[in-house]
Amino acid sequence: MFEPTKAYADMLDETDPLRHLRDQFSIPKQANGEDELYFTGNSLGLQPKKARENVIEMLDAWQKYGVKGHFEGEYPWLPYHEFLTQQSAKLVGARDEEVVMMNSLTANLHLMMVSFYQPTKTKRKILIEDHAFPSDHYAVCSQLTHHGFDESDILLWQPRADELLYIEDFEALLNQHHQDISLILLPGVQYYTGQVLPIEKLTQVAKQYDITIGFDLAHAAGNIELSLHDWDVDFACWCSYKYLNSGAGSVAGCFIHQKHCQNTELNRFAGWWGHDKASRFKMDNNFIPIPTAEGWQLSNPPILSLAAIRGSLETIDLAGGISALRKKSEALSQYAFNLLDGELSDDIDIITPRDKNARGCQLSLMVTNNNIDGKALFNELEARGVTLDWREPNVMRFAPVPLYNRFSDIYHFVQILKTCLRS
Ligand SMILES: *Cc1c(COP(=O)(O)O)cnc(C)c1O
């Protein structure tokens, strides 16, 4: 049974089957030499030691082989992205042919909209949520402009007063506007509240009206279990530097459902890396797309970044994959709820849903006591070795991640938070 004691937190750590994984990561230090209490894996995951090793291995290959590195060594560059496919596909519940690591997240969203936003004069609206991450909002707006439309063709799914999105409101929107909607683009996990959206259910509703639906999985990949193929999602994109720990700006992921990726007639923006592998170096001008997600690649990819991703995926494999991580994540966040509710509910409201199916790693802590300056509190926590992130107007995002966070990290954080609130 839960107890708000250090002994209880230590017991949870001692009996945690994944506790050894923390040693696979480099943990930033405070000025006093102690480990930071790092809870921003939702923004930038920590460095897996294997990522560093694999990047150095690729620097060495470059040093040793020069251009021949495309073909030589244990991990030649020409097919390097293929070394990531199987594990990436498993992570998002896809077939191997449906997944490719390429470009960056926003670039991939644009590439997907080139293929999957096919408006007509009357059916041309794009449905997103009202608090979509700004980059997604900008991308959608600029796609509308590109087609000669404007922002009035965005349809917004509004959260309710508790900041959360309700599927009933989504159903009502579709019921009313389905004739006008060409594309739906939604997050898997909402970045501000940490709410996990019911991807399968949303997709079913979209399919009832024959509307294309894609997901931004920036906060979902590496956080929650996904079955994109079985759920019949049309496309999805995610970055690899949040819960996938592959370094700032590292290469992103893209999923295109089998029923679409085999269709070489689909409209797309093309580049030589998406061209048929057997004839790529014939250098003729007749583009033949690879009949898999790889057919959307543009350029030969940045190998150092892919090497970091390979190290990160190997580390997730050591954990036993996403289902084992998710199990620990649920326990971590339940523990955090218990501790915060018991000790701090007068000053802080957790806006993230309590239902474990509707939350991932991240808890969003809203400072509700008007006598407290939230930003000053955040700064004070940082000075005491707690790394969170701040979202205006009054939310601290706090993400204990199962790969490297401990139950006792949460315990210490809450003690420090209590001290700060009392002073
Ligand atoms: C982190 C994040 C991004 C960032 O986009 P980049 O293209 O990787 O810079 C975009 N959308 C969402 C929802 C995010 O959470």
Side-chain angles (χ1 to χ4, degrees), residues 35-49:
D35 287 353
E36 267 180 32
L37 293 170
Y38 192 88
F39 296 115
T40 38
N42 59 314
S43 178
L44 187 82
L46 290 180
Q47 185 183 99
K49 291 176 181 167

Side-chain angles (χ1 to χ4, degrees), residues 105-106 133 136 216 218-219 241-242:
L105 170 54
T106 307
F133 195 89
D136 301 43
D216 183 329
H219 286 265
Y241 49 82
K242 293 173 178 166

